[in-house]
Amino acid sequence: NKFDTFPIARRIEASVQDGDEIVKLEEYADRILQFKKRKMHLINISQDVEFLEDTFMHKGVDAPGAVCKTDFGIAWVNELGAYLYDGKSVKNLLEKQGRQVINDWPSFAGGKPMIGYIPKKRQLIVTMSAGSGSVGDIYLFDMVTQSWVYGNTKVADSAKQTNFTTDWNGDLIYSEATGNIKVWNDTPGATTSTFVFKTKDIDFGDPS
């Protein structure tokens, strides 16, 4: 009938007195991902003695809601990018074949973004901001096709939101300041607004 005890021999210190703070811990396979404000430590726990395997600068997070676990690995976002650790390496999901796929990411993700995972469709959803002046725009990343899509006001504007989580049925859920539980629904609806379709420059073999 004792409380849980944590002996000093089982303590892991990746970095101390570095002026940073731990925001979130996640585990994947035999690694612990320690997220701080400005960096992420990758800790190897596959052996009897744990050790710091790598440190990824500028890949920290502002809040726990900026990290989520998927069946592909651990995904997280900050104002500099969207990342996935797949057990082998850290990939920047905003880069594809050596080019940046989203140019306005810093302005989109500059207000404490959140990320969630939709297991039924293997998609990541990133909200623009979950603060008091939140904006309901989102980016949706399909992990199968490796493609992004933008959504305008797909969650409520100017409403605080909780972090995303998954319910017993595998649906992505969250709550707003009203206390109502929302289930993410991507069923298309009718709209009267205009849209812009952009392609690369197409010259049909005649640049002039």
Side-chain angles (χ1 to χ4, degrees):
N1 295 322
K2 287 185 177 180
F3 291 105
D4 291 337
T5 56
F6 302 92
I8 193 67
R10 300 299 297 167
R11 186 169 68 179
I12 303 173
E13 290 186 343
S15 62
V16 296
Q17 297 180 353
D18 58 353
D20 213 344
E21 60 183 283
I22 298 174
V23 177
K24 176 77 171 178
L25 293 176
E26 277 290 357
E27 52 81 23
Y28 187 72
D30 52 5
R31 302 293 193 275
I32 292 177
L33 284 74
Q34 183 192 79
F35 292 94
K36 292 191 170 186
K37 291 280 188 180
R38 291 185 289 273
K39 56 181 174 285
M40 187 271 283
H41 289 312
L42 185 65
I43 303 171
N44 190 314
I45 56 173
S46 62
Q47 304 176 26
D48 293 337
V49 178
E50 300 84 4
F51 61 92
L52 179 61
E53 183 173 305
D54 207 344
T55 298
F56 298 89
M57 295 301 299
H58 312 298
K59 290 181 172 57
V61 296
D62 285 324
V67 183
C68 72
K69 179 178 284 188
T70 77
D71 50 0
F72 289 86
I74 306 299
W76 71 99
V77 290
N78 60 25
E79 63 180 7
L80 301 178
Y83 309 98
L84 176 71
Y85 175 71
D86 60 3
K88 297 179 181 179
S89 62
V90 174
K91 299 177 181 178
N92 190 340
L93 302 178
L94 299 183
E95 297 176 355
K96 189 174 184 180
Q97 297 177 350
R99 61 185 179 88
Q100 194 86 2
V101 296
I102 300 176
N103 294 324
D104 66 339
W105 185 265
S107 61
F108 171 84
K112 294 186 177 181
M114 278 196 322
I115 187 171
Y117 181 56
I118 309 168
K120 289 183 176 180
K121 296 192 174 182
R122 294 189 172 184
Q123 295 173 337
L124 292 170
I125 179 174
V126 181
T127 59
M128 190 172 187
S129 169
S132 57
S134 65
V135 179
D137 298 356
I138 64 138
Y139 268 110
L140 196 71
F141 179 73
D142 192 296
M143 303 186 77
V144 178
T145 63
Q146 298 289 296
S147 58
W148 289 91
V149 64
Y150 178 79
N152 186 3
T153 314
K154 297 306 177 184
V155 296
D157 285 328
S158 302
K160 291 183 179 180
Q161 300 141 20
T162 66
N163 59 302
F164 293 112
T165 188
T166 306
D167 67 5
W168 61 274
N169 196 36
D171 292 317
L172 187 77
I173 61 174
Y174 64 98
S175 178
E176 295 176 350
T178 58
N180 296 326
I181 302 297
K182 303 284 186 177
V183 179
W184 169 253
N185 182 10
D186 60 359
T187 302
T191 179
T192 58
S193 61
T194 58
F195 66 92
V196 177
F197 178 72
K198 295 182 179 181
T199 73
K200 65 179 181 180
D201 290 336
I202 300 175
D203 56 25
F204 300 101
D206 187 4
S208 63

